[in-house]
Amino acid sequence: MKVKVFGDIEGGLNFENEANGKMITFLDYGAGNVRSLINAIERLGETVKIVSSGGDILSAEKLVFPGVGAFGNMMRILNHKNYVEPLKTYLNSNRPYFGICLGLQALFEGSEEAPEVNGLGFIPGLVKRFDIDRSVPHIGWNGLNFKQSSHIFTGLRGDEKFYFVHSYYVVPKDPAVILTTTDYGCEFVSSIQKGNILATQFHPEKSGSSGLRLLQNFIEAAQGPASLDFRSQGTRLAKRIIACLDVRSNDQGDLVVTKGDRYDVRECGQVRNLGKPVELARRYYEEGADEITFLNITGFRDFPLEDMPMLEVLKQTSRNVFVPLTIGGGIRDYTDKDGRRYTALEVAAEYFRSGADKISIGSDAVLIVEDYVKAGRKSGQSSIEEISRVYGNQAVVISIDPRRVYVNSPDEVGHHAIETTIPGPKDERYCWYQCTINGGREGRNLDAVTLARVCEQLGAGEILLNCIDRDGTNAGFDLELIKAVKKAVCIPVIASSGAGCAAHFYEVFTATEAEAALAAGIFHRREVALGDVKKFLSGKVEVRLCRP
Ligand code: 1PR
């Protein structure tokens, strides 16, 4: 470790330097997961110094500015901390700068996301929202069309993919600054360079070994060949393969990865133990997982901020795993035994600080939507609204745990019912998908389609669509459920539950428009390796293949 955490100032991480030598100055304005980027830089052997005053910016040798969250919030904090003028001075001095995501957007004059706030104005142009016939946010692994050469591409092949997560993109007035573009419903600018000022819309710290290489090139000012293809061939967003780790304490008190059969995780009375969370996450990263999801499956009855091992799992995982991490379980308002009230936002903040890129909300989302349906309007204060306001929509995933309820006619219930090709036990031809809470223990009077639709309106950025009927069965994904939910929302949908072989992934990606597919049991039991799923899909479906 080159840095030591000793506190927490205004929501940001505060680090004390322990070593001299090469120093990367790091601008953390206190939103989202910056731990991963610090871990990535340390992994490359560097020391990180966190900016705590405008003077730190002015004296920096190399400045890295990661941005997560919302443009307006970011600029307000930069203004409040008096960082804007030092940043402008630093940029004008042409010293090395690496901006990531909002750290790219901040360089521009302003953004449609917050028209009332000025950007740094270093690069003439604006930031615009995607207006495309595709799911927004643009989430996942996409490629680069190279417009010019740069030392940051040294050693990279031309066809590698990087992790994007954003709803806005930059439009520079001067095309000479464009390094790469990416295609997603339109061709947008995915990285820029002006002298020593570099910035990417994608997240190198979340882009596996390709991203680490790019960061290393920036840090070392690398010189050397890159096998780049300057013919613009177009890029495609990859379908994501996600490994899911359901985590809980077993009867001996050890935190284990478990796996249910239709949500029942016990076998002969004992909680199934399929491995250790940190080790398994690392294995899946090395096998090529595009994301890792941890679900604290007893979070509904425990309080996550007292569940330090889970936070520790995230911290340890983010040291070695450089793809996005999602964490779910217990994200809701909570009052502890001493009567202190914690908001869901505070719980989420702790997860982000510990290394999560996204949080997923299960039970609380159902209760929020029930209230919304009853009141006929938004409260403006739900966990979904509050967390997405501070950390951005892309950081909020809704985990749905539905089960089929069969009916003879769609008019029999006031829910979104579908005609099904899998008839019910009494030969019923219709079903609706009932939402459940508390790990499937309690069914509610709400259907999954309505839940997904309302959560999108409240600010959720993605749907993790489980299915209790298929969970742990190896029978394949519930395609009818996925199609019904996908049709109702514009945000990405992760298909989950039931994967039993590589062909099931092909099926879900060709029969539905799901952007990602998640599996647990087949990977934990080593029935199919994650890398083999990718190999099977390669050439048939766009996937990210890892660097050897
Ligand atoms: O309600 O906000 O506290 O969140 C709790 C979270 O824990 C929810 O996301 C809920 O889905 C999850 N959860 C609760 N109980 C269980 C359980 O299994 N008893 N796990 C549970 C849900 C479902 C999937 C699973 C896929 C793939 N696990 O995530 O990984 O079904 O499995 P497969 O490939 O083996 O078929 P809150």
Side-chain angles (χ1 to χ4, degrees):
M1 272 291 270
K2 296 279 176 65
V3 293
K4 190 167 93 185
V5 182
F6 67 84
D8 172 26
I9 293 176
E10 291 180 10
L13 291 172
N14 190 10
F15 289 80
E16 179 187 6
N17 290 304
E18 283 185 337
N20 293 317
K22 279 193 270 178
M23 179 88 75
I24 306 296
T25 303
F26 192 95
L27 181 52
D28 168 26
Y29 66 92
N33 171 17
V34 294
R35 182 176 289 274
S36 306
L37 184 55
I38 292 171
N39 287 340
I41 295 171
E42 284 181 7
R43 173 76 164 251
L44 299 169
E46 304 300 317
T47 301
V48 175
K49 174 186 173 147
I50 305 289
V51 168
S52 60
S53 69
D56 290 339
I57 296 175
L58 292 172
S59 62
E61 292 166 22
K62 285 195 168 102
L63 185 64
V64 173
F65 181 13
V68 222
F71 187 89
N73 188 44
M74 166 187 70
M75 288 309 305
R76 274 188 282 273
I77 297 174
L78 293 182
N79 276 303
H80 174 74
K81 295 192 169 190
N82 294 321
Y83 287 173
V84 168
E85 288 310 315
L87 264 172
K88 287 181 179 172
T89 306
Y90 183 89
L91 292 165
N92 285 323
S93 73
N94 195 29
R95 273 172 286 160
Y97 170 97
F98 200 114
I100 297 172
C101 195
L102 277 182
L104 160 68
Q105 297 181 7
L107 298 174
F108 286 70
E109 293 165 282
S111 169
E112 285 183 0
E113 192 179 6
E116 71 288 357
V117 185
N118 288 332
L120 297 172
F122 178 72
I123 295 188
L126 287 175
V127 183
K128 299 203 164 176
R129 189 178 160 84
F130 277 120
D131 181 14
I132 50 174
D133 186 20
R134 302 268 186 102
S135 297
V136 177
H138 169 222
I139 298 184
W141 299 76
N142 206 330
L144 306 176
N145 301 309
F146 297 95
K147 301 297 178 185
Q148 43 183 305
S149 195
S150 166
H151 69 281
I152 59 163
F153 300 132
T154 302
L156 290 177
R157 298 188 318 258
D159 60 351
E160 284 169 69
K161 290 192 189 287
F162 294 85
Y163 187 77
F164 289 82
V165 50
H166 61 126
S167 302
Y168 295 82
Y169 61 95
V170 297
V171 184
K173 283 189 188 142
D174 178 5
V177 300
I178 301 174
L179 261 189
T180 62
T181 64
T182 294
D183 300 294
Y184 185 67
C186 64
E187 185 180 2
F188 70 89
V189 173
S190 48
S191 64
I192 60 105
Q193 180 163 14
K194 185 176 172 187
N196 288 320
I197 314 303
L198 275 154
T200 60
Q201 184 57 64
F202 52 88
H203 289 261
E205 78 284 12
K206 291 280 140 197
S207 298
S209 52
S210 309
L212 291 180
R213 178 70 202 237
L214 201 127
L215 279 174
Q216 186 175 21
N217 289 341
F218 166 73
I219 290 165
E220 293 175 356
Q223 301 294 330
S227 2
L228 304 181
D229 187 346
F230 288 97
R231 289 165 304 163
S232 183
Q233 294 180 327
T235 70
R236 293 209 296 167
L237 181 67
K239 297 289 187 183
R240 283 170 282 152
I241 308 296
I242 302 176
C244 183
L245 286 72
D246 289 358
V247 180
R248 63 162 287 170
S249 295
N250 66 9
D251 302 308
Q252 290 70 46
D254 304 320
L255 204 63
V256 297
V257 174
T258 188
K259 186 66 223 51
D261 177 358
R262 295 186 177 93
Y263 284 36
D264 180 1
V265 298
R266 288 184 183 270
E267 196 168 32
C268 306
Q270 297 288 311
V271 172
R272 286 191 190 93
N273 179 351
L274 294 169
K276 295 186 178 160
V278 178
E279 281 173 19
L280 271 188
R282 187 170 184 163
R283 185 182 115 204
Y284 297 140
Y285 169 64
E286 283 163 3
E287 287 179 11
D290 296 316
E291 285 182 40
I292 309 280
T293 295
F294 292 103
L295 295 176
N296 178 357
I297 67 169
T298 51
F300 70 90
R301 60 170 179 244
D302 307 328
F303 177 46
L305 295 190
E306 281 164 3
D307 196 357
M308 299 316 278
M310 202 63 209
L311 296 173
E312 198 49 40
V313 163
L314 265 181
K315 287 177 191 161
Q316 287 185 28
T317 301
S318 68
R319 267 183 219 134
N320 298 306
V321 172
F322 297 101
V323 294
L325 302 177
T326 301
I327 176 114
I331 296 175
R332 61 189 158 87
D333 295 347
Y334 181 86
T335 304
D336 71 13
K337 50 187 180 310
D338 303 321
R340 182 172 168 201
R341 190 170 176 274
Y342 295 84
T343 63
L345 181 62
E346 287 174 292
V347 179
E350 196 56 41
Y351 276 143
F352 289 126
R353 274 196 284 274
S354 301
D357 299 284
K358 312 186 224 181
I359 52 89
S360 102
I361 305 177
S363 306
D364 203 35
V366 176
L367 305 178
I368 290 165
V369 173
E370 285 178 354
D371 287 347
Y372 172 94
V373 170
K374 216 181 291 164
R377 61 184 167 79
K378 301 178 184 179
S379 73
Q381 287 164 358
S382 68
S383 56
I384 301 172
E385 290 158 283
E386 297 218 316
I387 299 170
S388 62
R389 205 158 31 233
V390 177
Y391 292 96
N393 310 51
Q394 81 294 331
V396 180
V397 182
I398 303 300
S399 171
I400 312 183
D401 300 314
R403 66 159 59 88
R404 283 180 170 227
V405 178
Y406 283 99
V407 287
N408 287 311
S409 145
D411 309 322
E412 218 175 87
V413 281
H415 293 298
H416 185 100
I418 58 154
E419 188 168 4
T420 176
T421 55
I422 310 160
K426 295 184 188 147
D427 206 31
E428 299 96 330
R429 297 289 158 158
Y430 294 88
C431 75
W432 64 283
Y433 289 93
Q434 181 186 35
C435 293
T436 65
I437 59 172
N438 301 346
R441 286 169 182 78
E442 188 183 330
R444 306 291 293 194
N445 189 26
L446 181 73
D447 67 75
V449 172
T450 305
L451 177 77
R453 196 186 283 136
V454 175
C455 286
E456 178 179 24
Q457 286 169 22
L458 294 176
E462 202 169 20
I463 302 291
L464 163 53
L465 189 54
N466 304 299
C467 177
I468 296 180
D469 311 283
R470 296 296 176 102
D471 175 63
T473 61
N474 285 21
F477 297 93
D478 188 330
L479 304 177
E480 294 178 335
L481 166 66
I482 297 157
K483 281 183 199 165
V485 170
K486 187 65 211 160
K487 218 162 101 188
V489 295
C490 296
I491 52 179
V493 170
I494 301 165
S496 166
S497 304
C501 59
H504 286 151
F505 291 86
Y506 177 73
E507 185 180 55
V508 79
F509 288 138
T510 48
T512 80
E513 290 183 19
E515 279 82 0
L518 170 152
I522 50 165
F523 298 149
H524 303 336
R525 296 187 296 266
R526 294 185 184 267
E527 289 161 12
V528 181
L530 199 147
D532 289 341
V533 172
K534 292 256 182 112
K535 277 188 209 139
F536 179 85
L537 293 176
S538 173
K540 306 183 186 86
V541 170
E542 188 74 13
V543 285
R544 173 184 73 111
L545 296 173
C546 295
R547 286 164 68 88

